[in-house]
Amino acid sequence: MIRLPPFTYLAPGTVDAAARLMAEHGRDAMLVAGGTDLYPNMKRRQFEPKVLVGLRGIRELRGVRGSASGWTIGAATTLSAVTAHPGIARDFPALATAAGLVSSPQLQNMGTIGGNVCVDTRCNYYNQSYEWRKAIGFCMKKDGDICLVAPGSSRCWAVSSSDTAPVLWALGARVRLIGAGGERTVPMPALYRDDGIEYLAKRPDEVVADILLPPAEGWRSAYLKLRRRGSFDFPVLGVAVAARMDGDIVRDARIVLGAVASLPRPAERAAAALVGQRVTRELIARVADLAAGPAKPLDNTDFTHPYRKKMTRVFVARALAAVAGLQNGSAASEEVA
Amino acid sequence: MAHRIVGKPIGRLDGIEKVSGEARYSGDVMLPGLVWGKALRSPLPHARILRIDTSKAKALAGVLAVLTARDLPDILVGRRMFDMPLLARDRVRFIGERVAVVAALDPDIAEEALALIDVEYEDLPAVFDPVEAIKDGAPILHENPGAYDGAPSERPHPNVQSVLRFKLGDVEAGFRASDRVFEHTFRTQLDHQGYLEPHAGVVGIDEDGRVQVWASNKMPFRLKELLSQALQLPPAQIRVNLTPIGGDFGGKGSVMDLPLAYHLARATGRPVKMVMRYTEELMAGNPRHPAVITMRTGVSKDGRIVARRVKALFNSGAYAAFKPAPSVNLGGTGMGAGVYRISHLLIEAFCVYSNNIPCGHARSPGEPQMVFAGESHMDMIARELSLDPAEFRRRNLLRDGDLLANGHHLEHVRASETLEAALKASHWSEPKPGPWIGRGAAMTHRHIGVGFTNARVRLESDGTVTLLIALPDTGTGAHLVLRQVVAEVLGLPLDEVEIEIATTDDFTTDSGVGGSRVTHTGGRAAYHAAEKLKEQIQAEAAKLGEPASSLSAIAQAAAREGRTLEASHFYDAKAHGAVTSFTAQVAEVAVDPATGQVTVRHFTTAHDVGTIINPIGHQGQIEGGLIQGLGFALMEEMKTEDGQISTLSLGDFKLPTIQDIPPLTTVLLEDAVGPGPFNAKAIGEGSISAVAPAIANAVADACGVRILDLPITAEKVYFGLKDTERRS
C-alpha cells in the first residue's frame, strides 16, 4: 500500500477555466485526466503537486469528430474509445493499434489519448519509490542533480514512453493547445523537447485540447511495439511508419521511433530514402539500416540497449513491409519479446 | 467406485465473496483503537549501525511509539534456524532489513515518521554472488552461525548455512565405469512467489492479557509456536485467528512482521496492524532462491545413465530464517536425480549467505531450479549422443522397485505411461508445422505431502453438518474439497455441509498448509471424522427405531438427552515416499529468428494422478502451477545489482498476463492409489517445475540456441543466434 500525498482537486467545467486555474496556481499545479500515470507517480513522490486540475468533467474534451478536413480527437477521449472508433481504425490503423497496446485494457478504459501524448518520461533510476531513490542517491529528474544512467551527463536521459505520440507524429497530427492567454495549434514535433525532465514544449498552463489528424487520403500506417509481456508493459521500443503510396511507389513517408530518446525520434533520412521509390525487400533493408541510426537507447529501460538498438532495424523493416503490403503472413501489430 | 459429490466439477463457493470484496483478509481486520505499524528498512547491503536518532519521529503528532533493537529483547527468529533479529542490532546485512518500527494513528503518519528517523551507518564490505561468498577471504555475514539455534553442524565455510546431500552407490566409481561424461552449469534467477496479498497481520492484547493474532500465515499452529519463542510467552497465551489467505505459493509461513506488531501493541496499548507494501514484499519478502547448479552425468554407450553428481549453490541471502525444513535447505534438491534410475548418485546443495534478500520457500522449493538444470542437461546429453530426447529418457526412466536417494523404493511407477501420454497428446513424433518451431519435453515427479491435521464434524439440530477445521484456505479451494469429502461420506448434499474455521484454541496442533498436503491430510482427517459421525448417526437412528428418520430428528433426539453428535479425528501421515506422481510436459515454441522472441504455441501437460476430488480445483492447480512455471521460464526476474533490487513493483517485476498464456492440453492418468481420501494424490506442486526446461529444450530444438540461465528472454535468444551465426 502506497498512499497518495494530500492535494487539492479542482474540477473546472471548461478548458478555458482549466487553463486559468493552471496559470493561477503556477508551478504548484498539474493537469490530470485519467490519472493512470500521474497517481502512481505521485504515490512514489515523483510528482508532488499541491493542486490537481482535473479534466474529467470537461465535456468538450471528449469524443472523436470527423470532417472534410480530417479527424479531431478530444484529448480526454479514452484510449479504449480511440481504439474502438471505426473511423480511426479505418483511416489510421497505426493509431488504433497503438492506443490498444497502451498498458492493459483496464488502464485503456481510464487513460486518455491526451494523457498518453503527455505521459511522463521514464527511467529505471526514476520510476522507483522515494526510499529507493533516496538510497541510491536522487537523480536530477527529481530531488537530485546527477544522472545515474549517464554519470557526468548534464542532461536527463529519461525515455519518452508514449505509444501514441510516435504514431501521431508520423501521421502528421497537430495539437490544439488552450492556454490562459489564448490558443494555438502546433504540429506534434513542436510539442516535445529533447530533455528527459522538460520533455514537453508547451507552457504549463496550456491544456492539450484536441488532436487534429489530416485526412487519411492514401496514407497507410503501422505501429510495432517491443515489450517483455503481451500486456501492461510500457514500450521499450516503438516504431511508427506512415506512408502515402501511389501504387507501389512511395510518395511521402514518415518513420518515428518511440522509447529510444527523451522524445519521439523521427528517422528523417530513412523516410526520405523511401520517397519516389518502389518498395522492395532491398529498399526496406536499406531504409531500416538508416532508421536505426537515430535510435540511441541507453541502459535505462527493460531489456539491454544493444538489443533495443538492434531491434529498431528489425521493427522498422517489418513496419515498412506491413505498410507496403509486403509482409509474409503474419499481420502482427505487436512484437512481444 | 462411483461417487456422488467426489469427482464433481463444483465451482468455488467462496468465489463471490472474494471477487466482490466481502472476504475479510488479515489486512481488513479492524479493531477498536487499532493503530498502524510501519518498518524503516536499511538502504545499505552491509553496514554497521552507528547511531539511530528517533527523536524527531517520536515528536511527530500521531506517532505512538518508535522502537529500535535497543527497545526489544535480544531474540533471534526463524522457522528452523534462528538467525534473524527482530530489528537489526548494530549491523544490517541486506537492503530492506528492518532497523526501526513505528506505530501511528494512520499509515500516512507512520510513513512520515519513518522519514524522520535518522540512522548513521558505516559501510562494511559486502558479497552478493554465492560463488564469491564461499571463497577464502569473502566478507563474512555471521561470525558464528553454528551457534544459532537450529543451525546444522556441517559448515565448510562460515557463509554456508547448510549442506544437504543425497547419495546412492559410489559416484566416482560410476564415472570411471561410464563411457562418456557430460557437465553443464545452469543458473536460475531470484523470483518472488507473486501472491497478490502482501504479508499482513494484526496483533492485539485482549482484556485477559492474551495475544490475539490475525495473520496471512498458512500454518497457524506452527505460527503459535514460533511466536511463543519470538515473544517469550507461553503458547497458551497466544491465539491465532484464521483468515482467508490471498495466495501463498510457499511464502507465507514465517512470523514476518508479527513480533514487531506485538511489541508495538505492548508499547502503545493498542492493537497494531502491519501490512507490507508490495515494494517491501519485493525487497524483503522471502522469494525463491536463485541457484547455480552444475550437473555432471556419466552415460554408457547405449545411452544409460551410470552416474550423476550435482552441485547446487543456493543464494540464500542474509538469513536462513525463512527455511522451514530441518535441513535448513531445499528438499527439491533431491530432484537433481530427475525421474531416472541412477545407481551412482551424489547431490550436494549448499545454501549460502550473501548480502541479498533472504530467500524462503516457494511452490515446490528447489525443484524448478533443479528440474530446469536436470532436464536441460538431459536434452544436451541426448543431442551429444544423437538420441531423440524422448528415447534417451525412456531408456532411463524409474521403474517399480527402484530406490530413490531418500531411501524409498518406488511403487505404482507410471513414469513411462505419463511420458508417452504427453508425447502422444503433443504430436511429438509428427513433423513440426514449420521452420523455427521446436518441441521440448521435460519430466518430474513429486511425493505426496504429509503432515497432521485435526478435523471435527458435528450434526446440527437442523440436520446439517458442520466441519470444524484449522487449516486456512490459501486460495486453492481446499475448504471446498474438504466439504465434498464430508458430504460424500455422510450422503449429504454439499450445501448441507458447512465449514467453520477454527482458531488455535480449538485444537492442539495441525501442520497447516504446505507441501501439497492439504487434500491428503485435511481430507483424511475430515473423512475419518465423518465416518465416525456416520457411525454415531447410525447408532442413534437404530435407537430411535425408525429407519427413515431425518438427520434433524436424530440430532434433536440426541439433544433431548443432552448429547451432541460430534466426532473428531486427528490424522497423522508419516512419509509416504513409495508413491509419487509423475509429470511429463511438452512445449511447442516458435522462435522469431530476427528478434529472438519466443512464442509458446502450445503446451501439453500430463499427470499421473489419484482420484480427483474436484476437477475444477484440480485443473486450477495444474494451470496455476504451469503459469507460474511459465513466468519463471520466460519473464520473471528480480533484477539485482549489488544487493539492490530494481524491479520493485508489479510493473517492473513481470508476472505473466493472460496474453502470455498458451493454449493448453491436459492429460490426466487417473489411478486410485493415493493415500488421500478416496485414494487421492496431490497436485499443487506437480505442474510448475518441468515448464522451464520444456521451453528451454523447445527453444534449442527450434533454433539451436541453448539457454543456460533463466529467464529465457528474447535478447538472450537473439544474441545466442548471433553467436551461432558468427561461429558457423
Side-chain angles (χ1 to χ4, degrees):
Chain A
M1 173 183 38
I2 312 185
R3 312 262 293 190
L4 277 171
F7 58 89
T8 300
Y9 185 89
L10 303 173
T14 65
V15 184
D16 287 333
R20 280 197 306 276
L21 287 170
M22 287 298 291
E24 188 183 316
H25 292 278
R27 297 193 69 83
D28 286 343
M30 290 184 78
L31 292 163
V32 63
T36 55
D37 194 56
L38 181 67
Y39 291 131
N41 288 355
M42 284 173 66
K43 288 180 177 183
R44 291 187 292 258
R45 306 305 188 258
Q46 289 158 242
F47 294 118
E48 297 176 282
K50 294 194 174 62
V51 174
L52 285 186
V53 177
L55 304 176
R56 294 178 67 83
I58 305 178
R59 189 174 296 240
E60 62 190 291
L61 280 179
R62 287 200 301 268
V64 180
R65 299 175 292 279
S67 74
S69 59
W71 291 93
T72 301
I73 305 175
T77 308
T78 64
L79 293 159
S80 313
V82 171
T83 299
H85 194 279
I88 298 294
R90 184 190 63 231
D91 287 2
F92 307 110
L95 180 58
T97 299
L101 291 176
V102 175
S103 190
S104 62
Q106 291 88 337
L107 268 71
Q108 290 162 23
N109 289 339
M110 284 293 286
T112 65
I113 190 159
N116 191 251
V117 160
C118 296
V119 76
D120 191 21
T121 54
R122 296 180 62 80
C123 175
N124 282 347
Y125 295 90
Y126 164 70
N127 295 97
Q128 297 286 355
S129 70
Y130 180 85
E131 293 79 13
W132 192 96
R133 289 184 288 121
K134 185 178 169 193
I136 60 158
F138 292 111
C139 78
M140 66 171 73
K141 187 157 161 68
K142 184 68 170 66
D143 301 318
D145 47 21
I146 53 161
C147 176
L148 292 160
V149 62
S153 169
S154 60
R155 59 159 290 185
C156 167
W157 293 95
V159 178
S160 172
S161 300
S162 170
D163 286 303
T164 58
V167 173
L168 291 167
W169 186 317
L171 292 173
R174 292 170 303 144
V175 287
R176 189 164 72 101
L177 301 168
I178 299 179
E183 71 166 79
R184 61 186 176 122
T185 298
V186 300
M188 281 294 286
L191 186 63
Y192 297 104
R193 293 160 43 115
D194 191 5
D195 183 272
I197 300 170
E198 300 294 338
Y199 63 94
L200 289 176
K202 72 179 188 67
R203 290 197 313 275
D205 65 285
E206 285 181 312
V207 179
V208 175
D210 289 311
I211 290 154
L212 309 165
L213 285 157
E217 283 177 358
W219 283 85
R220 294 193 215 163
S221 61
Y223 177 69
L224 295 179
K225 173 175 184 170
L226 177 69
R227 56 179 169 182
R228 186 176 292 225
R229 291 181 289 185
S231 184
F232 198 11
D233 298 338
F234 281 94
V236 294
L237 169 67
V239 170
V241 170
R244 192 159 55 87
M245 306 288 293
D246 186 354
D248 56 355
I249 306 291
V250 180
R251 289 296 164 211
D252 214 343
R254 295 188 204 99
I255 300 170
V256 184
L257 311 175
V260 295
S262 294
L263 76 175
R265 178 68 80 193
E268 281 153 354
R269 279 184 58 213
L274 281 167
V275 176
Q277 305 293 314
R278 173 176 295 116
V279 182
T280 61
R281 292 271 162 212
E282 294 69 34
L283 178 66
I284 286 176
R286 191 155 56 83
V287 170
D289 280 336
L290 286 170
K296 299 258 187 314
L298 295 178
D299 200 6
N300 58 347
T301 69
D302 194 16
F303 288 140
T304 60
H305 60 102
Y307 180 69
R308 287 159 60 215
K309 173 95 178 169
K310 298 275 187 200
M311 288 307 101
T312 308
R313 201 197 151 279
V314 175
F315 278 44
V316 168
R318 288 183 175 177
L320 281 171
V323 165
L326 289 183
Q327 66 194 133
N328 348 328
S330 157
S333 54
E334 179 187 22
E335 298 296 334
V336 180
Chain B
M1 188 175 78
H3 304 299
R4 275 182 322 107
I5 290 176
V6 159
K8 296 289 176 295
I10 299 164
R12 288 284 289 276
L13 303 174
D14 55 350
I16 295 289
E17 69 182 57
K18 285 189 169 166
V19 298
S20 64
E22 287 282 309
R24 260 168 43 112
Y25 293 86
S26 293
D28 299 320
V29 171
M30 289 304 289
L31 298 171
L34 180 141
V35 296
W36 296 71
K38 285 271 171 198
L40 179 70
R41 295 178 183 277
S42 167
L44 298 173
H46 202 184
R48 220 181 301 284
I49 299 174
L50 300 179
R51 188 180 58 83
I52 306 179
D53 181 354
T54 59
S55 57
K56 278 188 239 157
K58 280 178 173 158
L60 183 69
V63 171
L64 281 73
V66 182
L67 305 178
T68 67
R70 291 187 194 293
D71 304 305
L72 304 179
D74 195 357
I75 296 286
L76 297 174
V77 296
R79 293 181 70 181
R80 188 63 62 166
M81 176 166 164
F82 296 76
D83 66 348
M84 186 152 103
L86 296 174
L87 289 172
R89 189 174 291 269
D90 305 327
R91 180 170 168 190
V92 290
R93 294 183 175 87
F94 75 99
I95 293 172
E97 181 161 6
R98 293 161 300 199
V99 295
V101 69
V102 168
L105 292 179
D106 69 43
D108 294 341
I109 298 170
E111 296 263 357
E112 202 181 331
L114 294 184
L116 296 173
I117 299 172
D118 191 20
V119 187
E120 196 181 327
Y121 296 100
E122 180 184 77
D123 275 307
L124 292 169
V127 63
F128 306 104
D129 185 88
V131 180
E132 298 299 318
I134 53 170
K135 286 184 178 164
D136 288 343
I140 302 301
L141 272 88
H142 298 259
E143 270 58 44
N144 189 8
Y148 292 132
D149 282 349
S153 54
E154 183 179 354
R155 187 153 288 96
H157 186 285
N159 281 341
V160 170
Q161 297 174 352
S162 62
V163 186
L164 182 59
R165 276 194 195 81
F166 293 92
K167 201 166 178 283
L168 284 174
D170 177 344
V171 75
E172 290 310 323
F175 283 125
R176 283 194 299 275
S178 300
D179 293 316
R180 295 184 69 183
V181 176
F182 301 93
E183 182 176 311
H184 307 110
T185 296
F186 304 86
R187 280 184 177 255
T188 66
Q189 74 278 39
L190 182 66
D191 193 16
H192 193 274
Q193 294 87 346
Y195 40 74
L196 287 184
E197 177 206 29
H199 276 87
V202 171
V203 177
I205 300 162
D206 68 18
E207 311 87 70
D208 303 327
R210 290 192 80 204
V211 181
Q212 299 282 347
V213 178
W214 292 260
S216 49
N217 183 296
K218 61 176 178 168
M219 296 178 177
F221 289 87
R222 181 64 180 149
L223 177 62
K224 186 166 104 168
E225 289 172 8
L226 293 176
L227 285 174
S228 166
Q229 178 269 341
L231 309 180
Q232 298 173 288
L233 294 172
Q237 212 174 318
I238 299 166
R239 181 166 101 168
V240 178
N241 301 282
L242 277 65
T243 57
I245 293 176
D248 156 45
F249 311 115
K252 299 257 181 83
S254 75
V255 296
M256 200 51 90
D257 285 338
L258 297 169
L260 296 175
Y262 166 78
H263 285 292
L264 289 172
R266 283 278 301 267
T268 60
R270 311 258 209 128
V272 174
K273 180 186 289 194
M274 290 186 76
V275 180
M276 282 169 78
R277 289 165 23 181
Y278 221 91
T279 303
E280 294 179 282
E281 270 289 349
L282 288 165
M283 75 193 296
N286 63 135
R288 184 183 296 284
H289 287 67
V292 182
I293 299 167
T294 299
M295 292 252 164
R296 183 176 166 83
T297 298
V299 294
S300 65
K301 273 195 225 91
D302 61 348
R304 292 184 206 278
I305 299 174
V306 181
R308 176 176 286 180
R309 185 183 177 121
V310 183
K311 185 181 173 191
L313 293 183
F314 289 111
N315 192 348
S316 289
Y319 297 101
F322 289 110
K323 282 186 280 290
S327 63
V328 195
N329 208 295
L330 301 175
T333 295
M335 279 313 297
V339 292
Y340 309 108
R341 46 186 357 203
I342 304 176
S343 311
H344 304 289
L345 174 74
L346 176 61
I347 303 173
E348 288 179 296
F350 300 81
C351 284
V352 176
Y353 281 124
S354 68
N355 294 107
N356 293 296
I357 180 172
C359 292
H361 262 191
R363 198 174 199 162
S364 59
E367 288 178 27
Q369 297 96 312
M370 275 292 175
V371 177
F372 168 65
E375 287 294 278
S376 297
H377 183 59
M378 287 297 284
D379 263 44
M380 294 167 81
I381 297 171
R383 187 182 172 83
E384 290 291 326
L385 298 177
S386 301
L387 276 176
D388 174 78
E391 178 54 29
F392 180 44
R393 285 181 173 80
R394 273 185 203 115
R395 291 184 191 180
N396 289 286
L397 286 176
L398 288 163
R399 296 179 216 156
D400 275 350
D402 280 349
L403 178 66
L404 296 182
N406 63 13
H408 292 282
H409 286 277
L410 282 177
E411 298 166 13
H412 302 291
V413 174
R414 302 191 74 189
S416 167
E417 291 144 278
T418 310
L419 173 61
E420 299 307 330
L423 296 177
K424 181 160 177 264
S426 64
H427 309 286
W428 178 266
S429 49
E430 291 172 25
K432 285 170 282 188
W436 303 104
I437 291 174
R439 294 194 188 117
M443 294 184 71
T444 188
H445 72 135
R446 199 166 205 286
H447 62 276
I448 291 143
V450 293
F452 42 90
T453 294
N454 269 296
R456 191 177 302 153
V457 286
R458 184 173 63 230
L459 181 64
E460 307 288 354
S461 58
D462 62 358
T464 63
V465 167
T466 303
L467 167 67
L468 184 75
I469 197 98
L471 280 169
D473 194 323
T474 56
T476 57
H479 287 170
L480 175 57
V481 164
L482 301 181
R483 286 169 73 172
Q484 283 181 257
V485 168
V486 172
E488 183 72 45
V489 172
L490 291 170
L492 290 173
L494 187 66
D495 60 5
E496 292 182 18
V497 177
E498 287 294 329
I499 198 154
E500 186 181 325
I501 308 302
T503 73
T504 53
D505 283 358
D506 294 302
F507 297 112
T508 51
T509 188
D510 197 305
S511 56
V513 176
S516 301
R517 72 162 72 100
V518 171
T519 297
H520 175 200
T521 65
R524 282 288 290 274
Y527 178 92
H528 294 296
E531 283 282 355
K532 289 178 188 170
L533 180 65
K534 191 167 150 189
E535 283 170 24
Q536 290 185 28
I537 290 168
Q538 283 163 351
E540 200 68 30
K543 266 201 284 184
L544 285 177
E546 298 163 38
S549 51
S550 70
L551 285 179
S552 62
I554 291 169
Q556 284 158 18
R560 279 193 294 277
E561 295 173 20
R563 288 180 295 116
T564 302
L565 299 191
E566 186 174 72
S568 296
H569 191 82
F570 177 65
Y571 178 77
D572 186 358
K574 302 283 185 260
H576 186 90
V579 176
T580 65
S581 192
F582 285 83
T583 300
Q585 297 180 326
V586 177
E588 182 174 296
V589 308
V591 171
D592 182 331
T595 64
Q597 174 197 338
V598 176
T599 306
V600 182
R601 291 164 46 92
H602 197 94
F603 204 89
T604 303
T605 191
H607 301 266
D608 144 39
V609 301
T611 301
I612 296 168
I613 310 281
N614 186 318
I616 296 177
H618 192 264
Q619 187 65 23
Q621 287 297 307
I622 290 174
E623 292 181 15
L626 211 146
I627 289 168
Q628 209 158 16
L630 196 88
F632 181 66
L634 292 172
M635 54 195 73
E636 293 168 16
E637 54 183 323
M638 294 161 78
K639 293 183 190 166
T640 307
E641 196 178 329
D642 293 347
Q644 181 96 43
I645 297 168
S646 59
T647 50
L648 291 174
S649 76
L650 293 181
D652 295 315
F653 173 65
K654 295 182 188 299
L655 300 168
T657 75
I658 198 66
Q659 295 278 6
D660 303 305
I661 310 306
L664 173 68
T665 300
T666 305
V667 186
L668 301 176
L669 289 81
E670 262 192 272
D671 192 5
V673 297
F678 305 98
N679 300 111
K681 283 187 170 181
I683 196 63
E685 293 165 282
S687 63
I688 182 172
S689 301
V691 180
I695 293 175
N697 292 340
V699 168
D701 184 49
C703 71
V705 173
R706 169 57 61 179
I707 301 295
L708 299 170
D709 57 323
L710 292 178
I712 304 165
T713 59
E715 58 186 332
K716 287 181 194 169
V717 176
Y718 173 83
F719 288 114
L721 286 164
K722 292 290 145 193
D723 276 352
T724 314
E725 274 173 30
R726 256 195 303 280
R727 278 201 305 270
S728 61

PDB file of all heavy atoms in Angstrom, chain B residues 369 617 671:
ATOM      1  N   GLN B 369      14.296 -25.031  -9.922  1.00  0.00           N
ATOM      2  CA  GLN B 369      15.711 -24.792 -10.199  1.00  0.00           C
ATOM      3  C   GLN B 369      16.384 -26.096 -10.655  1.00  0.00           C
ATOM      4  O   GLN B 369      17.067 -26.146 -11.691  1.00  0.00           O
ATOM      5  CB  GLN B 369      16.414 -24.283  -8.927  1.00  0.00           C
ATOM      6  CG  GLN B 369      15.917 -22.942  -8.377  1.00  0.00           C
ATOM      7  CD  GLN B 369      14.880 -23.073  -7.268  1.00  0.00           C
ATOM      8  OE1 GLN B 369      13.922 -23.825  -7.405  1.00  0.00           O
ATOM      9  NE2 GLN B 369      15.049 -22.335  -6.181  1.00  0.00           N
ATOM     10  N   GLY B 617     -10.978 -27.486  -9.232  1.00  0.00           N
ATOM     11  CA  GLY B 617      -9.857 -27.098  -8.381  1.00  0.00           C
ATOM     12  C   GLY B 617      -8.570 -27.779  -8.809  1.00  0.00           C
ATOM     13  O   GLY B 617      -7.491 -27.179  -8.808  1.00  0.00           O
ATOM     14  N   ASP B 671      -5.438 -42.961 -11.393  1.00  0.00           N
ATOM     15  CA  ASP B 671      -5.105 -44.268 -10.843  1.00  0.00           C
ATOM     16  C   ASP B 671      -5.336 -44.150  -9.341  1.00  0.00           C
ATOM     17  O   ASP B 671      -4.653 -43.402  -8.667  1.00  0.00           O
ATOM     18  CB  ASP B 671      -3.621 -44.547 -11.139  1.00  0.00           C
ATOM     19  CG  ASP B 671      -3.257 -45.999 -10.857  1.00  0.00           C
ATOM     20  OD1 ASP B 671      -4.154 -46.786 -10.525  1.00  0.00           O
ATOM     21  OD2 ASP B 671      -2.066 -46.322 -10.973  1.00  0.00           O
TER      22      ASP B 671
END
